[in-house]
Structure formats: C-alpha cells, structure tokens
Amino acid sequence: MLTTGITRRIDELGRVVIPKEIRRTMRLREGEEMEIFVEDNSLVLKKYSSLATLARFADEVAESLSVAAGGTVVITDNDKVVAAAGENKKDYIGRQILNRVTKTFCERITRTFLKEDGIALTGDDVNVFRAQIFAPVVVGGDVAGGVILLLTSEEGLSSKIKLIELSANILSNIIQ
C-alpha cells in the first residue's frame, strides 16, 4: 500500500474528507459511489463501478454486438474498459479510458464520429476506424459508462447505431 503522509480526523458524523489531490489523481467526482472494505487492520475505499460488477454479462453483450455489427466493441465504466470483443479487443480490455470518452458519454446522447473526427479511447490507440459510435449507459439519471462500436466501414451505419443503443439500454436496465 502506498503511503501519502496525509492524515484527516473523523468528524462527529463519522465523515472523512478525501484530499483534493487524491480525488483528482483517482478521478473521483462529487456524488460518486465508493465501496468500503475491511482488510486485516485497514479500511479500504474503492471506486464502485456498477458495470464492472456485470463484467461477465458485459462480455456477452460485447461479443453479441460485435458479431451482429461486424466491428470491435468496447464497453466502459467512467474510468476503464470492462469488456471488449472483436478483432482489436486485446488493444482495449482493462485499459483506462481518456477523459474525452467520459465527457462524450456525459452528453447523454449517441454520438457518431467518422474517420476525420475520431477520438482516441485509451491514449495510445491509433484510430484506424472509419466510424466510431458512442452510446451512454445511463442508470437512474447518472452516466455509468458506455458502449463504443468501432467500424472499418461506414456501411449500414443507421442500423448499427440502433444496435449499439439497444445494447446500452439493455445494460442500463440490467443495472437498475
């Protein structure tokens, strides 16, 4: 465990303030859920990801969508890739996503980027795709992550948008 040298007092309501530097480093946002664990003689806080708890189901959704749409599928929470399927899945699985991806999902609409406007997902991936479709997974009004379809062709784009939106809605409904 990494020590920071920072100490905080517990207030009369049992609260502890997490320092701003740590919140920024860990990408913790106001209102974000945390899991609390007791390990040996330590109290451990961990970011809660409702999508990560459904990793096996997310894998199946990603695989089905990849087969149906014919592209690479990436399913993320707000920090990292929780499932991937398709030819390029090894480039994404378990990787941290860029803030721009999270901001795209936070718009709460399905977005399509063509080759010229495409965005990197993890920072060191190269955009070799003709189209990227981003659909947010919204749970109880909050964005829990999203589904991304990466395509080498723009063929049949409108039907593929419907497929990705359906997949995001299925994940949203399962989490609720």
Side-chain angles (χ1 to χ4, degrees), residues 8 10 21 38 44 51 53 72 78-80 83-85 98 102 118 158:
R8 292 288 190 261
I10 299 174
E21 313 83 60
V38 176
V44 179
L51 274 172
T53 62
T72 299
N78 287 322
D79 294 306
K80 65 183 181 318
L98 298 176
T102 304
S158 62

Side-chain angles (χ1 to χ4, degrees), residues 61-76 81 83-89 92 97 101 104-105 109-115 117-121 125-137 145-168 171:
V61 169
E63 193 62 46
S64 297
L65 181 56
S66 177
V67 169
T72 299
V73 176
V74 178
I75 299 177
T76 75
V81 176
E87 189 176 323
N88 300 85
K89 81 177 192 177
Y92 298 101
I97 60 171
V101 175
T104 301
F105 291 138
I109 59 169
T110 301
R111 297 280 313 267
T112 302
F113 297 100
L114 300 179
K115 174 83 174 156
D117 301 320
I119 63 174
L121 304 183
D125 54 333
V126 179
N127 183 17
V128 295
F129 301 100
R130 299 279 306 148
Q132 299 172 314
I133 307 170
F134 291 71
V137 174
V147 182
I148 305 165
L149 178 58
L150 307 168
L151 300 164
T152 55
S153 165
E154 295 176 33
E155 210 172 292
L157 212 51
S158 62
S159 62
K160 292 175 183 181
I161 290 171
K162 290 184 186 341
L163 281 173
I164 194 171
E165 288 177 329
L166 175 64
S167 299
L171 289 168

